[in-house]
């Protein structure tokens, strides 16, 4: 397995780690009920420790990964930002906009992750269960949007679960 050496970052500010360990990250805002305000001191502490990334999960009605990603970007300069979300609850153009905006804002420190969520939850709110095929389809849509393509109905109006 080819592995790059940890990125070495030298900082003169007191409290900053000399080595950023990109192999290590932390999961932000883990408490329930979520207090989103803790994301700021968590990110500052993680960056001072030299951690490589902040992973931000989604918790419906209390924790939005796009908003928290912006907060982490604003209070850090080296920390990678990796929000996890799903493809069901955001229109692809909104998701693509978050991705491209955060990528530019963080100068490449941002990378989205997508999960399947809880299989029983989706039918309860009227959406189909997330499959690998649906995720591949969604990733294809994102690639096309980032390439500047306009997508109308994606082949069939009922194929898209988004409004």
């Amino acid at each position: 397995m080819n592995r790059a050496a940890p990125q070495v970052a030298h900082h003169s500010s007191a409290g900053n780690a000399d080595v950023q360990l990109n192999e290590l990250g932390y999961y932000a805002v883990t408490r329930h009920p979520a207090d989103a305000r803790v994301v700021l001191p968590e990110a500052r502490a993680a960056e001072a420790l030299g951690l490589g990334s902040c992973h931000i999960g989604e918790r419906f009605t209390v924790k939005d990964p796009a908003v928290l990603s912006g907060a982490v970007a604003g209070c850090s300069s080296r920390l990678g930002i990796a929000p996890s979300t799903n493809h069901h609850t955001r229109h692809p153009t909104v998701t693509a906009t978050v991705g491209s905006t955060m990528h530019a804002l963080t100068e490449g420190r941002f990378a989205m992750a997508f999960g399947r969520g809880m299989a029983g939850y989706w039918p309860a709110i009227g959406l189909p269960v997330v499959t690998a095929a649906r995720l591949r389809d969604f990733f294809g849509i994102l690639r096309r949007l980032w390439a500047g393509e306009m997508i109308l109905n994606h082949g069939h109006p009922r194929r898209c679960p988004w409004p």
Side-chain angles (χ1 to χ4, degrees):
M1 176 163 111
N2 291 334
R3 292 181 49 125
Q7 176 183 342
V8 177
H10 298 283
H11 297 277
S12 58
S13 302
N16 283 340
D18 286 337
V19 176
Q20 181 174 351
L21 300 172
N22 290 327
E23 297 87 353
L24 295 176
Y26 76 99
Y27 186 70
V29 193
T30 59
R31 297 161 212 50
H32 190 74
D35 179 359
R37 296 170 297 177
V38 303
V39 76
L40 301 171
E42 283 179 353
R44 289 183 193 114
E47 191 164 68
L49 286 170
L51 296 182
S53 58
C54 170
H55 301 267
I56 304 167
E58 182 169 53
R59 191 171 297 145
F60 297 119
T61 74
V62 295
K63 192 169 95 167
D64 183 87
V67 173
L68 293 176
S69 293
V72 172
C75 74
S76 68
S77 60
R78 296 179 290 132
L79 198 59
I81 303 166
S84 298
T85 188
N86 68 83
H87 79 287
H88 271 335
T89 57
R90 287 179 177 77
H91 195 279
T93 57
V94 173
T95 302
T97 301
V98 168
S100 58
T101 302
M102 287 299 300
H103 181 77
L105 183 68
T106 63
E107 298 178 326
R109 294 184 292 132
F110 181 81
M112 284 189 276
F114 294 87
R116 294 179 186 216
M118 297 176 289
Y121 181 75
W122 302 121
I125 64 170
L127 293 171
V129 172
V130 180
T131 63
R134 288 186 187 279
L135 286 173
R136 279 192 302 272
D137 193 40
F138 187 74
F139 299 155
I141 293 169
L142 290 178
R143 285 187 183 106
R144 291 169 60 193
L145 288 169
W146 286 327
E149 187 176 335
M150 180 182 287
I151 302 172
L152 301 174
N153 291 334
H154 188 52
H156 192 281
R158 292 186 192 164
R159 191 168 175 196
C160 294
W162 313 285

